[in-house]
Amino acid sequence: DTGVSQDPRHKITKRGQNVTFRCDPISEHNRLYWYRQTLGQGPEFLTYFQNEAQLEKSRLLSDRFSAERPKGSFSTLEIQRTEQGDSAMYLCASSRYEDRGNYGYTFGSGTRLTVV
Amino acid sequence: SQQGEEDPQALSIQEGENATMNCSYKTSINNLQWYRQNSGRGLVHLILIRSNEREKHSGRLRVTLDTSKKSSSLLITASRAADTASYFCATDPGYSSASKIIFGSGTRLSIRP
């Protein structure tokens, strides 16, 4: 297991199109998080899962955004009808609930989305 | 929304000098974490300090935490060119199961050769 993998690394899409990103966490990690980061800012929390259950969604996550984690393994983040304001780096991270307070998160390299 | 604010926003120092970054936050925490991000890449966890700890060391990193002032600092000693990156603090409120870390706005550190 080499860490958290995100695919694709880069995505350019036209406004109005739908896009889907994938995240493969570290296999023994039961928690998976999605963050969004714009240039010069810190990552902003979007949503997180424990196993297959989506436990929290940020108000940043409009109705155009949906995330899933079927079977508690990989996760997908879909953005429908993309807008230019969706252009950002989308970061995925994973952790073990049992390690809370002892270890940090492991992040993937991110998916950079550009909406033209 | 972002919990923490880093200070300074940007820092440029000579190689070999020490770099100090500060983080202030607003609500009570269970722990505070520092992460590094190289340009265009994901974040790498550096160090975690619990709310009942005041200081922690890891290699050339020293982190302090003052919960009464709701602030933390990260010191990188004997800086190297490879330390050039953005550094973020992140707070974990730690309550119940509804917990995720919230990041600050970051400090961009540049090391001059």
Side-chain angles (χ1 to χ4, degrees):
Chain A
D1 200 356
T2 56
V4 178
S5 299
Q6 291 190 245
D7 182 67
R9 288 293 312 278
H10 303 274
K11 178 72 177 179
I12 300 174
T13 190
K14 292 183 178 179
R15 190 174 50 190
Q17 297 292 306
N18 299 345
V19 294
T20 299
F21 311 139
R22 177 179 171 124
C23 171
D24 287 89
I26 291 174
S27 57
E28 58 265 31
H29 284 183
N30 45 25
R31 283 207 163 175
L32 186 149
Y33 308 82
W34 286 98
Y35 287 81
R36 181 174 68 187
Q37 185 180 27
T38 53
L39 203 62
Q41 299 297 312
E44 293 179 298
F45 170 76
L46 293 179
T47 187
Y48 85 94
F49 295 82
Q50 180 153 326
N51 300 312
E52 64 275 7
Q54 189 173 19
L55 295 187
E56 188 175 348
K57 290 171 58 173
S58 164
R59 284 172 288 179
L60 290 174
L61 220 61
S62 74
D63 291 344
R64 297 184 298 106
F65 288 71
S66 62
E68 293 183 340
R69 193 184 182 197
K71 304 177 184 176
S73 55
F74 71 92
S75 175
T76 58
L77 177 68
E78 181 184 17
I79 309 174
Q80 296 183 327
R81 303 181 303 280
T82 52
E83 302 172 354
Q84 286 190 322
D86 297 331
S87 295
M89 174 81 90
Y90 289 84
L91 294 161
C92 176
S94 68
S95 70
R96 282 195 345 135
Y97 173 76
E98 296 77 6
D99 290 337
R100 282 178 63 243
N102 294 312
Y103 297 99
Y105 296 1
T106 302
F107 277 83
S109 295
T111 294
R112 180 167 296 284
L113 173 67
T114 302
V115 181
V116 297
Chain B
S1 63
Q2 296 187 303
Q3 156 83 304
E5 291 295 329
E6 275 96 331
D7 173 59
Q9 289 187 331
L11 179 61
S12 178
I13 61 172
Q14 204 76 28
E15 192 168 12
E17 293 180 338
N18 296 342
T20 299
M21 288 158 271
N22 302 296
C23 168
S24 60
Y25 57 92
K26 299 171 185 173
T27 61
S28 62
I29 61 170
N30 174 276
N31 66 78
L32 185 144
Q33 304 171 28
W34 285 89
Y35 288 78
R36 184 187 73 226
Q37 184 178 37
N38 292 92
S39 182
R41 307 289 296 184
L43 287 86
V44 174
H45 179 256
L46 296 175
I47 196 166
L48 180 152
I49 186 166
R50 298 184 187 86
S51 60
N52 61 354
E53 297 175 314
R54 292 296 167 259
E55 187 170 314
K56 202 161 184 180
H57 297 254
S58 177
R60 293 184 296 113
L61 306 180
R62 172 178 168 253
V63 169
T64 62
L65 179 65
D66 186 336
T67 53
S68 66
K69 295 181 179 178
K70 291 187 169 57
S71 67
S72 174
S73 68
L74 171 68
L75 168 68
I76 304 174
T77 60
S79 62
R80 306 167 181 170
D83 295 329
T84 294
S86 291
Y87 292 81
F88 297 91
C89 68
T91 52
D92 182 352
Y95 42 77
S96 186
S97 61
S99 174
K100 74 283 183 185
I101 61 175
I102 301 296
F103 286 87
S105 50
T107 292
R108 293 187 308 280
L109 176 64
S110 297
I111 308 299
R112 303 190 303 271

